[in-house]
Amino acid sequence: MLGQLWMRKGIVCAAMVLTLSAGAVAQPDLKATKIAKPPVIDGKIEPNEYPAEARGEGFSDKDTNLASDEFGEFWLVYTDKAIYLAARFKTDPRKVVRQEYRQNVGLSGNDNVRLDIDPFGNASNFNTFGTNSNGATSINLSGGRAAKTEWLGEILANGRLTETGWEAEMRIPWAIMNMPPVGVRDMRFQVNWFRSNKSNTYTYKFTNNRAENIPVWQGVQVPPVDRSRVLNLLPYGVSGVQEGEKPINDAGLDFKTSIGETLSLVGTVNPDFRNIESSILSLDFSYFERLASENRPFFQEGGEYIRTGFEQRLFASQRIRSFDTGLKLYGTIGDDLTIGALSTFDFGNQIANVVSLGLRPRPEQQFQFAYVGNIQDGRNSNGVMLNYFDRVGDLEVYSTNQLSDDENRGSGMRNGLGLSYNKGSQYMSLDFTQVSADFNPWLGFASERNFYGASLFYNADATPSSGPVNSFEYGFGGRSYVRHGGDFYRDGIDLYGSVNLKNGLGIGGSLEWDKFEQFADHSFELGLGYPYNNPYNGIGLEYQKGKFRNENFESYELDFRWRPLNRLQINAGAEFIDHTTWQTQYIISANYDFNRLEAVGGRAVYEDNQWNWYLSYRLSGGKGAEYFVLVGDPRADSFQNRLVIKAVVPITVRY
């Protein structure tokens, strides 16, 4: 819990928490096994259904390498058409969480098994496929996921509870992924097992987050994949009425096709986001701008190929509020080069362009280059970035260099150099940063500028093998920055810790001291959650007290999750802040599934003394036409008296 608070406050640097082996035997790589007869995907693993040489067993904590106290095994085979994964786990079947049953959804909180597979074998193009004991599926393709089954493809999965736990099977078509040329190739893979009773993930082979440690699927005969020219079209039509406005009648088109074997081209004409919820920022104490997360499908798809920095970046898609048409190209060229390019056109107003290249000469080394340009009367701007990462043993070094040039704001630079060292379950990083006063990328996110200095971060976590504690973590961070010219800017130090108990109670707390220009701030925070590991039913409380901008404050947060019926989910949250003025935020949402594809739902948000709410009906998530009915506007700040009906009809054209 406090780890999430830490990230929300912007203290954690971009490097990942890495750990060393402790207490488990390293698992071997796996020789590829090609079978002649595909298995039946019925969720029941029959004796001798899968060959013994394709079997792996034994799982350990992904962070600490502590061997699982429950047994897991899997089989991994393939044919010319698909990959097949079967997995069996011994656990208390009465405690297996299996709420999700739909296709292509998140499996958070559910006991599940996931296969990570990189067909290129370079440890940089992983696709992830997951299922639970209900046969629900999740798909995350390299580069980002599409919203429509016709674009994304689908996998077949089935599962069941057994007397000793649960088991599941998956069929994953080769054609769903970008594939290397035909021939024999060593691929990279990983099998992950999420245990809800531990709220933790266990892996077949502990890697310490090192690419060279990821297990190898040896000697796969890459089959020919049908890459005939296919243009997938998603035309939509919208009709509706809104109080005080003209009748709504609109249409547009999304499209996707392949270029060569490993590149995808996505486009949109007159995009419509009426049925996409806007993200809501929580109330918070911050001197700096914050951005809500991006949830528009055009920007999400292939988004992993478009990198322009980390938290501070040259391109933030949220800056583009609307546009008339957009194009995106992404994928790989050869084994070592990734590319992402994006252009949006707001005719008569703005053209935005982004290009990102990633080069990985070896698994632990990477170069990233990016260019961002904005063409707009009075707001022309350009930005470039060059990042470098390398790792030797437990030491990682990284540098980031960004340049912005704006016709109004001038030219500026952001430079950073970082060093991290990892041993056991401990992580430490030291980061040096300097940002010039004129660094201000027009399309990016640069929350602060005109300073230089250093930050230090330390984190440790553990999963005890016995006792009432399921896991715990603690850490601290510090920073000291001055203005260019020598004036004081800000100093700060933070301490935090959290513990998760096996009875489901999570407890966390933090202390923070900050001096920002003329302000001396401090805060104390305490949080409780029960059960912390159940995303469907539970409650969370947070209390914070301190001083911000030299004024005392108190804040209270309440989160509530309830599933009164099997297909009805209700979530609610409230936040109150007493600081010079009283601020309040309420968020209430509900969703009821009629079946895997059909649902009704809605959300209400209260903030700044106004409500916005909407209700929706949707028939989506499978192949064929999709339909949406919306009352209100899920992206507005206040309620809009509006009724909209939307239809999306997929069309496939071969050329």
Side-chain angles (χ1 to χ4, degrees), residues 12 31-32 65 75 116 163 201 220 245 254 300 352 355 360 364 366 425 445 463 492 503 540 551 596 605 628:
V12 176
K31 289 186 178 180
N65 201 25
W75 293 262
D116 297 338
E163 292 182 355
T201 297
V220 180
E245 302 288 340
D254 297 333
Q300 286 182 324
V355 177
R360 191 185 291 264
E364 297 295 337
Q366 186 174 14
S425 59
F445 180 69
T463 304
N503 63 9
E551 297 284 349
R596 292 190 175 192
V605 179
F628 305 88

Side-chain angles (χ1 to χ4, degrees), residues 241-252:
V241 292
Q242 182 170 338
E243 184 179 20
E245 302 288 340
K246 295 180 179 179
I248 300 170
N249 292 291
D250 207 355

Side-chain angles (χ1 to χ4, degrees), residues 142-298:
S142 175
R145 56 183 297 169
K148 195 71 177 74
T149 300
E150 282 82 358
W151 289 17
L152 178 64
E154 59 184 343
I155 64 177
L156 177 63
N158 221 323
R160 66 174 187 140
L161 294 179
T162 67
E163 292 182 355
T164 59
W166 67 280
E167 58 187 21
E169 297 174 294
M170 281 194 294
R171 178 186 184 273
I172 305 163
W174 289 111
I176 202 173
M177 299 177 284
N178 284 340
M179 293 291 293
V182 174
V184 178
R185 179 178 288 257
D186 290 343
M187 298 184 178
R188 297 277 187 166
F189 81 101
Q190 182 69 282
V191 180
N192 303 280
W193 170 23
F194 178 79
R195 292 173 50 186
S196 65
N197 59 6
K198 283 280 191 177
S199 191
N200 205 7
T201 297
Y202 295 80
T203 62
Y204 168 61
K205 183 178 180 181
F206 178 71
T207 66
N208 193 26
N209 280 333
R210 297 185 191 175
E212 71 268 21
N213 292 340
I214 298 173
V216 176
W217 201 20
Q218 298 172 341
V220 180
Q221 297 178 10
V222 179
V225 177
D226 182 13
R227 297 298 187 190
S228 55
R229 295 289 186 180
V230 175
L231 177 62
N232 292 303
L233 304 173
L234 287 178
Y236 78 85
V238 173
S239 293
V241 292
Q242 182 170 338
E243 184 179 20
E245 302 288 340
K246 295 180 179 179
I248 300 170
N249 292 291
D250 207 355
L253 173 70
D254 297 333
F255 62 88
K256 182 177 183 179
T257 190
S258 297
I259 298 179
E261 296 291 325
T262 59
L263 295 175
S264 297
L265 178 67
V266 174
T268 183
V269 178
N270 193 29
D272 178 72
F273 306 120
R274 290 180 178 89
N275 58 310
I276 307 298
E277 276 189 346
S278 62
S279 298
I280 305 297
L281 284 171
S282 64
L283 304 178
D284 205 351
F285 300 98
S286 178
Y287 290 97
F288 313 112
E289 179 191 17
R290 297 182 298 147
L291 279 182
S293 60
E294 176 62 82
N295 50 18
R296 291 174 291 179
F298 175 76

Side-chain angles (χ1 to χ4, degrees), residues 13 23-24 29 55 111 151 174 181 187-188 215 285 292 306 316 376 423 427 434 444 473 523 525 538 571 609 623 633:
C13 70
D29 296 328
R55 179 177 174 273
D111 289 77
W151 289 17
W174 289 111
M187 298 184 178
R188 297 277 187 166
F285 300 98
I306 298 179
Q376 192 173 12
K423 189 173 182 60
Y427 167 79
Q434 82 82 26
E473 69 171 321
S523 68
E525 187 168 5
N571 295 329
N609 296 318
K623 289 186 175 181
D633 184 351

